[in-house]
Amino acid sequence: MADLDARAIAAAALRKRAENGGKHLHHRDCIHNLPPEQQVAMRGKTVDWWTRVIGELPTQITPDQWQTTPPTP
């Protein structure tokens, strides 16, 4: 069941991104609300890998940076 939920949420997020011309808009459920280390882990990477391959860690946003409501599956 969790896999189905994750797929539905991912599909909803992709639809919302398409509606916004391909741009990700931040919202209360977005991965960017998490600390950088958790964002990296959710993407299946380590901080060491991220800093060597990507460079700077992702930024954590705050509620004042939310731009839209979360996508609904």
Side-chain angles (χ1 to χ4, degrees):
M1 182 64 91
D3 287 341
L4 180 59
D5 293 341
R7 284 194 301 257
I9 290 167
L14 290 173
R15 277 193 306 277
K16 186 148 191 149
R17 180 180 284 225
E19 292 167 4
N20 293 309
K23 183 176 190 241
H24 169 77
L25 298 179
H26 297 302
H27 51 83
R28 73 171 186 263
D29 294 339
C30 134
I31 189 174
H32 301 110
N33 290 299
L34 299 172
E37 297 79 9
Q38 282 185 287
Q39 292 182 46
V40 169
M42 284 188 72
R43 293 177 170 113
K45 306 297 181 196
T46 65
V47 169
D48 179 58
W49 179 92
W50 192 276
T51 54
R52 280 186 294 107
V53 176
I54 305 296
E56 203 171 305
L57 290 175
T59 304
Q60 183 175 5
I61 64 167
T62 57
D64 62 313
Q65 294 171 296
W66 293 347
Q67 301 164 296
T68 189
T69 58
T72 52

